[in-house]
């Protein structure tokens, strides 16, 4: 993962680099550092978050060129030596790196044979020394980068400074994102556009296997053969990538409360005058296919379970795969499968790996992503944007609802049966009501479970898919171990874990499953469980904790997910944890 930034010619490099790292710390926050040129390369770095770095970097830096990094550790523990920027043995090359060099051990051996030694354990330090090795033997920095691209295997986005070129920054990209921001008399680089959007709206997105040289007035990009590439300028607007908290205490809360507007925006984007506006060729491909495969990770995988069921109800056969599982045993079921990838960030490495396999096998693909211009958006055959607005909190909330909503619309469009539009419009007031009036009841459950170490979510069918997402959300931010169990599976094993006072949170929003779910509640209560029920009016009983008005049952992940998200949020706030940046996680999982 990791976030990188860099600037040249900017009047206040310290401000851009440190604020930029703060903006990018959703990508990792184990340690952070900066480097700049002032009569030699100067480095400040330490373990801890960007706020700590801000305290140790001098206020009065004089430089034209600066790079910075916020780290999510892959090779080596978070300590000062492993913190970026990394400098080469002879102090010629200093760089920040996002990605993973797969053959770093071979490269390290090669460098040791050339009398290099290393102060840390990272693959990135090895890259700095490899560039230096080629540079010192041939004295051509661009050629050294090209040579490195042939040698290095794995993923990298690199911002590099060379002590012999204090007015130039060098870049290299493969598999990890890198964007250039073009200013008037200054230029930036960063892992995404968000740190730069305050200062420029013009961007250049690099493709894999490209490298280049940036000065304050120019950008040159080359392909792997050293041929100069013409890059087009892309305009982005500040609203779509602003990190403004808009008065909310946390991004997670803000993003949960943006769910209704996210659904409205999807309806406005993909429906005009009651008709779907999806690309006709895409719809035909979906209609002609005899099998739809979904591939995704985490929350996006959970939305594929719901979306897959939508297509199945229209008679399509489907399969849903976790990307990191599918990639190592790829299958293409059916005679004419169509592949849908889902990724909020559009940069998830496991999914990018899958896309490579899909392309090698000559299949087309559709990506559902929240991030226009991301690697998956640019490289899949078709793309549908989630239009959820930037999601900063590591815990995905509004993007999950956007994914499910978009899949409901898409399945409906493929079936030529625009019923979902009316249903989605009908649940909007209900989500508003949950968000305005249900918080006290949700907080009661949060207070009751906050000290527990383990709990269970139960549901069947759509409520089971919702339980899986609710469980992931709770565990990732509150660190309470939780597991989602389909009601009917309880007695096939998991009920052995139910003890006196074990919390069990039950969703019963589907009248088809209400009866057996009540049976499950009796079973766990008989073993001492403390049960909390979230039900719809139609199937509710007097003792249920939260009762929601009726709605089309297949939309439980759209409607009741707000309750699950608030619950995870309040438990975490009560426990005093950092809800937007849970330990060990990062927003964009750009390493496999
Ligand atoms: O960006 P993606 O949708 O590809 O990310 C997939 C998962 O890493 C992500 O959904 C993760 O599970 C979230 N932190 C869950 O809240």
């Amino acid at each position: 993962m990791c976030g990188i930034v860099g600037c040249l010619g900017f009047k206040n490099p310290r401000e851009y680099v440190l604020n930029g790292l703060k903006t990018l710390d959703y990508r990792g926050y184990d340690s952070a550092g900066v480097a700049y040129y002032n009569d030699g390369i100067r480095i400040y770095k330490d373990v801890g978050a960007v706020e700590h770095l801000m305290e140790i970097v001098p206020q009065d830096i004089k430089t034209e060129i600066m790079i910075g990094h916020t780290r999510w550790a892959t090779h080596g523990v978070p300590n000062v030596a492993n913190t970026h920027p990394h400098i080469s043995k002879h102090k010629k090359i200093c760089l920040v790196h996002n990605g993973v060099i797969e053959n770093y051990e071979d490269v390290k051996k090669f460098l040791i044979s050339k009398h290099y030694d290393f102060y840390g354990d990272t693959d990135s330090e090895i890259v700095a020394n490899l560039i230096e090795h080629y540079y010192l033997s041939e004295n051509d920095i661009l050629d050294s980068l090209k040579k490195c691209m042939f040698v290095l295997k794995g993923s990298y986005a690199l911002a590099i400074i060379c002590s012999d070129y204090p007015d130039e920054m060098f870049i290299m990209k493969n598999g990890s994102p890198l964007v250039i921001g073009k200013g008037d008399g200054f230029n930036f680089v960063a892992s995404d556009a968000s740190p730069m959007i305050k200062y420029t709206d013009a961007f250049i997105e690099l493709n894999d296997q490209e490298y280049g040289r940036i000065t304050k007035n120019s950008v040159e990009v080359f392909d792997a053969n050293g041929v100069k590439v013409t890059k087009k300028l892309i305009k982005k607007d500040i609203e779509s990538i602003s990190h403004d908290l808009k008065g909310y205490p946390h991004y997670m809360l803000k993003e949960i409360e943006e769910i209704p507007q996210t659904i409205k925006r999807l309806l406005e984007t993909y429906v005009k005058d009651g008709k779907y506006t999806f690309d006709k060729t895409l719809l035909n491909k979906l209609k002609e296919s005899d099998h739809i495969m979904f591939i995704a990770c985490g929350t996006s995988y959970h939305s594929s379970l719901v979306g897959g069921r939508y297509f199945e109800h229209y008679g399509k056969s489907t399969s849903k795969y976790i990307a990191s599982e599918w990639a190592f045993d790829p299958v293409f079921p059916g005679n004419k499968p169509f592949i849908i990838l889902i990724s909020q960030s559009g940069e998830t490495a496991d999914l990018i790996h899958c896309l490579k396999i899909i392309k090698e096998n000559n299949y087309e693909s559709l990506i559902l992503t929240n991030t226009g211009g991301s690697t998956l958006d640019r490289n899949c055959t078709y793309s549908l944007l989630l239009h959820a607005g930037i999601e900063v909190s590591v815990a995905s909330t509004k993007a999950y609802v956007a994914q499910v909503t978009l899949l409901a619309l898409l399945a409906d469009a493929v079936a030529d049966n625009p019923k979902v539009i009316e249903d989605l419009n009908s649940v909007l007031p209900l989500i508003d009501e949950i968000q305005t009036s249900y918080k006290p009841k949700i907080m009661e459950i949060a207070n009751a479970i906050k000290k527990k170490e383990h709990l269970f979510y139960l549901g069947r069918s759509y409520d089971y898919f919702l339980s899986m997402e609710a469980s992931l959300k709770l565990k990732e931010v509150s660190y309470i171990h939780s597991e989602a169990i389909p009601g009917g599976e309880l007695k096939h094993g998991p009920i052995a874990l139910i003890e006196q006072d074990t919390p069990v949170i039950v969703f019963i929003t589907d009248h088809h499953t209400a009866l057996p779910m009540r049976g499950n509640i009796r079973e766990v209560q008989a073993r001492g469980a403390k049960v909390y029920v979230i039900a719809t009016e139609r199937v509710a009983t007097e003792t249920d904790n939260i009762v929601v008005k009726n709605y089309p049952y297949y939309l439980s992940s759209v409607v009741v997910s707000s309750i699950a998200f608030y619950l995870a949020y309040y438990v975490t706030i009560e426990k005093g944890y950092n809800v937007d940046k849970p330990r060990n996680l990062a927003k964009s999982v750009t390493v496999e």
Side-chain angles (χ1 to χ4, degrees):
M1 337 266 215
C2 308
I4 66 177
V5 288
C7 64
L8 293 113
F10 190 60
K11 58 181 183 314
N12 191 345
R14 185 185 187 279
E15 176 194 297
Y16 166 70
V17 168
L18 291 178
N19 291 342
L21 290 179
K22 186 79 207 72
T23 308
L24 287 180
D25 68 358
Y26 71 89
R27 304 176 69 88
Y29 31 84
D30 294 337
S31 51
V34 299
Y36 58 94
Y37 186 89
N38 183 345
D39 199 16
I41 293 171
R42 324 248 156 209
I43 298 176
Y44 289 87
K45 59 183 186 177
D46 206 350
V47 177
V50 178
E51 283 83 356
H52 172 59
L53 183 67
M54 286 171 165
E55 288 164 10
I56 62 172
V57 175
Q59 292 291 340
D60 54 346
I61 287 175
K62 299 225 175 343
T63 187
E64 283 274 294
I65 185 165
M66 192 163 180
I67 53 178
H69 189 273
T70 176
R71 178 168 188 245
W72 188 88
T74 53
H75 293 74
V77 296
N79 62 19
V80 178
N82 291 336
T83 302
H84 298 224
H86 286 290
I87 190 148
S88 57
K89 182 173 180 184
H90 305 289
K91 311 273 182 269
K92 289 277 177 202
I93 301 291
C94 180
L95 56 75
V96 286
H97 169 219
N98 170 31
V100 174
I101 305 301
E102 285 158 12
N103 60 338
Y104 83 102
E105 278 173 344
D106 294 340
V107 179
K108 191 172 181 175
K109 275 186 208 139
F110 167 75
L111 287 168
I112 289 170
S113 76
K114 301 288 174 195
H115 312 294
Y116 273 87
D117 45 36
F118 306 93
Y119 51 75
D121 309 310
T122 67
D123 49 349
S124 316
E125 185 191 346
I126 282 154
V127 179
N129 285 300
L130 187 68
I131 298 172
E132 183 182 83
H133 165 72
Y134 289 133
Y135 176 61
L136 290 180
S137 39
E138 294 177 25
N139 207 25
D140 182 333
I141 182 80
L142 284 175
D143 209 46
S144 313
L145 299 184
K146 192 172 82 176
K147 279 212 171 71
C148 280
M149 283 186 52
F150 277 108
V151 172
L152 296 176
K153 301 218 177 340
S155 58
Y156 46 83
L158 294 159
I160 305 155
I161 55 184
C162 174
S163 58
D164 293 343
Y165 298 90
D167 302 326
E168 297 178 23
M169 184 176 295
F170 302 91
I171 48 173
M172 251 169 90
K173 172 193 152 43
N174 189 51
S176 299
L178 191 60
V179 181
I180 299 166
K182 287 218 58 185
D184 187 5
F186 60 91
N187 282 316
F188 298 128
V189 295
S191 299
D192 69 37
S194 58
M196 308 183 266
I197 193 74
K198 245 168 84 183
Y199 312 105
T200 179
D201 64 352
F203 300 96
I204 294 171
E205 285 167 345
L206 291 191
N207 290 325
D208 285 347
Q209 295 276 303
E210 287 183 342
Y211 67 99
R213 166 172 42 206
I214 306 175
T215 69
K216 63 181 179 182
N217 293 312
S218 68
V219 175
E220 287 174 292
V221 178
F222 306 91
D223 69 14
N225 298 317
V227 178
K228 204 163 175 177
V229 185
T230 311
K231 304 296 289 183
K232 67 172 193 275
L233 270 189
I234 297 163
K235 294 275 177 186
K236 289 188 195 268
D237 71 290
I238 192 157
E239 208 29 55
S240 64
I241 41 181
S242 162
H243 281 219
D244 188 353
L245 265 167
K246 300 204 168 130
Y248 282 95
H250 304 102
Y251 288 107
M252 185 173 176
L253 184 62
K254 170 177 174 275
E255 288 158 10
I256 296 170
E257 305 211 336
E258 286 171 347
I259 286 173
Q261 75 195 54
T262 301
I263 299 169
K264 280 183 213 147
R265 211 174 300 125
L266 282 171
L267 285 164
E268 281 158 18
T269 308
Y270 294 109
V271 181
K272 292 268 165 336
D273 301 325
K275 300 230 162 29
Y276 290 113
T277 59
F278 293 114
D279 178 86
K280 295 268 179 308
T281 320
L282 168 65
L283 288 185
N284 285 336
K285 295 271 161 134
L286 281 158
K287 284 179 191 173
E288 286 160 11
S289 70
D290 67 344
H291 186 86
I292 300 179
M293 292 169 57
F294 293 87
I295 313 180
C297 311
T299 286
S300 299
Y301 170 71
H302 292 161
S303 72
S304 82
L305 299 176
V306 185
R309 184 60 57 84
Y310 293 156
F311 280 94
E312 285 156 11
H313 274 294
Y314 289 127
K316 280 274 176 207
S317 89
T318 74
S319 46
K320 304 105 191 167
Y321 300 97
I322 292 172
S324 53
E325 290 289 310
W326 186 85
F328 295 93
D329 189 12
V331 287
F332 295 93
N335 293 319
K336 212 173 174 191
F338 187 87
I339 302 157
I340 301 182
L341 308 178
I342 308 176
S343 173
Q344 186 285 130
S345 62
E347 297 294 352
T348 300
D350 292 321
L351 217 49
I352 292 171
H353 183 173
C354 294
L355 180 61
K356 194 164 164 264
I357 298 169
I358 292 164
K359 286 185 156 183
E360 280 163 7
N361 284 276
N362 297 318
Y363 284 102
E364 291 190 330
S365 56
L366 161 67
I367 176 74
L368 266 56
T369 181
N370 201 26
T371 317
S374 59
T375 304
L376 289 163
D377 176 51
R378 282 182 286 124
N379 291 297
C380 286
T381 327
Y382 303 94
S383 173
L384 292 174
L385 294 182
L386 298 170
H387 294 288
I390 188 160
E391 195 180 63
V392 178
S393 176
V394 166
S396 185
T397 54
K398 62 177 178 174
Y400 169 74
V401 175
Q403 289 162 351
V404 173
T405 304
L406 183 50
L407 286 166
L409 293 170
L410 188 63
D412 215 36
V414 171
D416 281 331
N417 169 29
K419 183 179 171 320
V420 167
I421 301 170
E422 196 187 312
D423 286 351
L424 281 169
N425 277 308
S426 77
V427 300
L428 284 169
L430 185 47
I431 303 174
D432 280 335
E433 192 181 322
I434 290 172
Q435 298 206 341
T436 47
S437 318
Y438 284 51
K439 287 177 191 158
K441 285 185 180 165
I442 301 169
M443 282 181 199
E444 272 174 33
I445 305 181
N447 275 314
I449 63 170
K450 69 183 181 200
K451 297 217 170 98
K452 299 289 178 184
E453 277 183 37
H454 307 278
L455 63 77
F456 296 93
Y457 281 92
L458 287 190
R460 288 182 188 231
S461 184
Y462 288 110
D463 285 338
Y464 170 56
F465 302 145
L466 170 63
S467 299
M468 291 172 83
E469 177 54 15
S471 171
L472 173 62
K473 211 82 333 167
L474 184 77
K475 74 173 77 133
E476 75 174 318
V477 292
S478 77
Y479 316 144
I480 295 177
H481 170 245
S482 91
E483 207 180 315
I485 301 166
E489 279 292 290
L490 257 184
K491 50 181 138 339
H492 296 288
I495 200 163
L497 296 168
I498 303 292
E499 296 175 340
Q500 190 61 39
D501 291 332
T502 306
V504 178
I505 302 172
V506 187
F507 293 109
I508 316 181
T509 73
D510 177 354
H511 56 283
H512 301 100
T513 65
L515 214 57
M517 283 310 301
R518 293 289 170 193
N520 293 140
I521 290 175
R522 282 191 293 275
E523 287 160 5
V524 293
Q525 277 173 334
R527 272 104 191 149
K530 179 80 190 90
V531 174
Y532 305 89
V533 179
I534 297 138
T536 42
E537 276 177 353
R538 184 174 177 180
V539 296
T541 67
E542 267 179 13
T543 54
D544 291 345
N545 300 69
I546 297 180
V547 179
V548 180
K549 286 194 184 124
N550 296 327
Y551 59 84
Y553 72 95
Y554 68 94
L555 292 179
S556 65
S557 282
V558 175
V559 179
V560 179
S561 55
S562 282
I563 297 179
F565 297 154
Y566 280 129
L567 184 62
Y569 174 78
Y570 288 127
V571 171
T572 307
I573 296 304
E574 279 293 310
K575 292 178 85 166
Y577 297 152
N578 186 339
V579 75
D580 287 328
K581 290 189 202 123
R583 69 184 179 207
N584 305 341
L585 294 174
K587 182 69 182 162
S588 195
V589 186
T590 54
V591 291
E592 281 187 62

